[in-house]
Amino acid sequence: MMKRTKVKSLLSSPALGTEVLVKGWVRTKRGNKNILFIALNDGSTINNIQVVAEAASFDENILKDITTGACIAVKGKLIESQGQGQNIEISAAEIELYGKSDAETYPLQKKGHSMEFLREIAYFRPRTNTFSAVLRIRHAMAFAIHKYFNDKGFFYLHTPIITGSDAEGAGEMFHVTTMDLTKVPRNADNSVDYSGDFFGKPTNLTVSGQLEGELGALALGDIYTFGPTFRAENSNTPRHLAEFWMIEPEMAFYDLNDNMDLAEEFVKYLIRYALDNCSDDLDFLNNMIDKTLLDRLKFVLENQFVRITYTEAVTILTASEKKWEYKVGWGTDLQAEHERYLVEEHFKRPVILTDYPKSIKAFYMKQNDDGKTVRAMDVLFPGIGEIIGGSQREENYEKLLKRIQELKIPEKDLWWYLETRKFGTAPHSGFGLGFERLILFVTGMLNIRDVIPFPRTPKNAEF
Ligand code: 4AD
Ligand code: MG
């Protein structure tokens, strides 16, 4: 039995004159009654291998079924190509048809398709050049994230998906229950009685692994999480998903400056990794999706991120002549239009904003002495807006407890978190990188639904 070779390795180190076996899906077929040229793709690379078949050597019925989308195995000799457009090709000796693909009804015809249409056939999207490129880059970025942290001595901590707390305190949670929703038991005061539910209390899908990540950092030193997170926010935008992946490093003994240094080094490492390891896919996306993609990636690598406070940003924004859709003023949260103005027009490079008003940030952030701001940081990127959110954490027990009480967050959900501030508390910091926002930036894609295989958004959980 001959072993299958992947197209990627055939193309990168072709052993001309040898017999090879390839398996994949037909992208196109052309030719005449004597000779056929089949472009075959097996997903290992954006590039196809050309298969040349002399009609006389094959059963007519097999050749007829070799249409766009069909799956075949081809055995043949690897030779130098006579034609233009490729260096090597396979001169087919045997072809086995695994799966026909009816030319009339196959949804993925050869023509170009809109991103919206491709979302409706997300089960076939990975067979397109664009999505296979995005998915290979997505894989490379996941690998690079683990490599970066492993090389730096960080430990990968698996934080729970089902939790009893709201880490961000924003109340955007999906409930987890096994209760029969047609007969929800009630307490005397008409509130829901969870005592008979699976966990015996209200639970939800996590919005962030941070709080448990902090427990890890306060024992292991440097940790990171990398897992799915869920937000039931009704935001139908090109940058929001209800289910997205987040990377959350958490470091003992880091202050906000150390945190910013790590965030900048980390994203630059990932961009460099993509440029060094995904060049075929990036070249394709640069040609087909966004001609400025490679320049933008290199630009971010070569320039230091600007670091200013929220207060300085508000001064710049209010001084600008721009007509804002949302008003800016000290104390209001910045909207995408403001973030993008700072990055794309004012500074023309990534910006890290720090020291936001405490009223618009989460309870766990370290409070500044001014009594008004917290040691928060948001990293803002061109075309994306916020790609990272993080902070130094409040390590002082009294201050943290007071803030939790002010915000009326149930203490009984966070007692374990507060314990760390009572016993061996330490200065520490961390941040969260939205994985899909990173992939948007690295691929030049415009909609977050198109950088995750099966997007979950309001009213959409197909496949
Ligand atoms: O700013 P966020 O809400 O921060 C946290 O969750 C902190 N616990 C992080 C930490 O300090 N450990 O989210 C972090 C990042 C955002 O900057 C954004 O990139 C991404 O997660 N994000 C989303 N991505 C896609 N869809 C959504 N609905 C997102 N919400 C946040
Ligand atoms: Mg944020």
Side-chain angles (χ1 to χ4, degrees):
M1 272 279 278
M2 208 174 162
K3 255 186 88 172
R4 164 195 173 214
T5 311
K6 291 200 179 179
V7 172
K8 183 180 173 149
S9 72
L10 275 188
L11 295 176
S12 59
S13 45
L16 288 174
T18 60
E19 280 277 304
V20 294
L21 170 63
V22 292
K23 302 182 176 187
W25 293 266
V26 175
R27 281 292 164 80
T28 58
K29 180 181 73 171
R30 59 189 177 82
N32 53 43
K33 61 182 188 326
N34 301 319
I35 192 157
L36 284 185
F37 300 96
I38 303 160
L40 197 67
N41 189 283
D42 71 356
S44 60
T45 157
I46 188 102
N47 300 305
N48 303 325
I49 184 94
Q50 172 155 290
V51 173
V52 184
E54 308 228 11
S57 325
F58 296 93
D59 180 349
E60 208 178 307
N61 286 321
I62 284 220
L63 298 187
K64 172 172 76 37
D65 283 335
I66 297 178
T67 54
T68 297
C71 185
I72 60 174
V74 178
K75 217 184 263 182
K77 199 187 246 178
L78 198 62
I79 57 172
E80 221 167 296
S81 179
Q82 313 294 308
Q84 300 214 320
Q86 64 281 320
N87 297 323
I88 60 167
E89 63 193 22
I90 295 173
S91 168
E94 286 173 42
I95 299 180
E96 185 183 345
L97 180 71
Y98 284 137
K100 292 200 254 192
S101 169
D102 177 54
E104 296 291 307
T105 52
Y106 185 47
L108 211 58
Q109 298 296 332
K110 232 171 71 183
K111 63 176 179 122
H113 297 288
S114 72
M115 294 295 164
E116 289 77 13
F117 172 72
L118 290 174
R119 267 171 233 151
E120 289 168 20
I121 54 159
Y123 53 101
F124 277 147
R125 280 199 304 189
R127 292 194 193 177
T128 64
N129 284 330
T130 302
F131 284 89
S132 67
V134 168
L135 293 179
R136 278 185 297 268
I137 292 170
R138 191 178 159 106
H139 160 79
M141 290 294 89
F143 179 79
I145 286 162
H146 288 299
K147 178 163 167 51
Y148 175 82
F149 285 125
N150 184 62
D151 290 352
K152 265 187 118 67
F154 282 55
F155 300 105
Y156 181 25
L157 186 76
H158 293 103
T159 50
I161 306 271
I162 300 173
T163 75
S165 56
D166 177 1
E168 293 303 301
E172 296 165 333
M173 298 178 301
F174 291 101
H175 296 299
V176 174
T177 179
T178 54
M179 284 193 289
D180 177 349
L181 296 184
T182 63
K183 314 190 235 331
V184 174
R186 301 277 173 177
N187 296 312
D189 63 357
N190 208 31
S191 61
V192 176
D193 175 9
Y194 285 95
S195 60
D197 199 1
F198 190 92
F199 295 106
K201 64 173 202 167
T203 51
N204 50 272
L205 295 176
T206 189
V207 296
S208 157
Q210 177 195 322
L211 301 189
E212 292 89 351
E214 286 185 52
L215 311 184
L218 293 174
L220 299 169
D222 297 329
I223 64 92
Y224 68 105
T225 73
F226 186 176
T229 40
F230 306 87
R231 297 206 182 165
E233 53 186 331
N234 201 2
S235 311
N236 245 315
T237 83
R239 323 238 174 279
H240 288 88
L241 289 166
E243 176 179 305
F244 64 100
W245 288 65
M246 188 157 47
I247 300 97
E248 296 186 275
E250 191 71 34
M251 297 74 62
F253 319 119
Y254 270 49
D255 66 14
L256 192 68
N257 283 316
D258 303 324
N259 206 21
M260 287 191 276
D261 290 344
L262 184 77
E264 182 165 346
E265 182 189 86
F266 176 48
V267 282
K268 284 182 168 170
Y269 175 93
L270 296 176
I271 293 167
R272 155 115 16 248
Y273 189 93
L275 286 169
D276 290 347
N277 293 277
C278 307
S279 52
D280 285 355
D281 290 322
L282 285 177
D283 287 345
F284 173 82
L285 294 168
N286 194 70
N287 286 333
M288 303 302 291
I289 301 288
D290 177 354
K291 299 250 187 291
T292 62
L293 172 63
L294 290 173
D295 287 342
R296 197 163 58 243
L297 296 180
K298 286 176 195 149
F299 180 82
V300 167
L301 276 189
E302 286 157 10
N303 287 283
Q304 263 205 308
F305 298 1
V306 173
R307 299 178 183 189
I308 58 166
T309 63
Y310 165 93
T311 303
E312 288 166 319
V314 168
T315 307
I316 293 169
L317 292 167
T318 44
S320 99
E321 310 271 271
K322 268 286 234 240
K323 294 268 170 294
W324 304 114
E325 197 185 328
Y326 295 89
K327 248 183 90 172
V328 211
W330 203 95
T332 60
D333 209 355
L334 300 184
Q335 301 293 323
E337 57 172 338
H338 309 130
E339 297 177 340
R340 293 186 58 172
Y341 172 82
L342 291 170
V343 172
E344 291 161 23
E345 296 180 49
H346 189 83
F347 290 111
K348 297 195 165 62
R349 62 175 74 185
V351 175
I352 312 184
L353 292 189
T354 63
D355 302 284
Y356 282 74
K358 67 176 179 186
S359 57
I360 57 170
K361 289 291 182 188
F363 70 92
Y364 50 69
M365 295 190 182
K366 186 173 173 68
Q367 297 161 42
N368 281 318
D369 293 336
D370 63 10
K372 294 191 299 197
T373 59
V374 286
R375 295 299 270 160
M377 62 175 220
D378 276 8
V379 180
L380 313 179
F381 256 45
I384 306 288
E386 180 191 338
I387 195 165
I388 284 178
S391 69
Q392 188 167 340
R393 317 307 188 189
E394 183 55 76
E395 83 267 26
N396 178 286
Y397 176 76
E398 280 78 28
K399 286 188 185 164
L400 182 61
L401 182 65
K402 188 158 161 269
R403 191 71 188 133
I404 287 175
Q405 289 165 344
E406 276 169 10
L407 293 170
K408 303 202 168 50
I409 298 170
E411 256 174 82
K412 66 171 178 13
D413 294 345
L414 289 176
W415 64 271
W416 46 274
Y417 182 73
L418 284 160
E419 288 281 283
T420 56
R421 274 55 171 181
K422 282 197 225 156
F423 304 99
T425 191
H428 63 289
S429 301
F431 61 82
L433 168 68
F435 190 48
E436 286 75 19
R437 297 209 183 158
L438 171 78
I439 307 299
L440 274 178
F441 183 73
V442 173
T443 59
M445 299 292 282
L446 293 176
N447 194 308
I448 201 162
R449 293 165 180 80
D450 301 330
V451 296
I452 186 166
F454 302 104
R456 299 299 179 236
T457 50
K459 302 279 177 288
N460 175 38
E462 196 66 35
F463 318 116

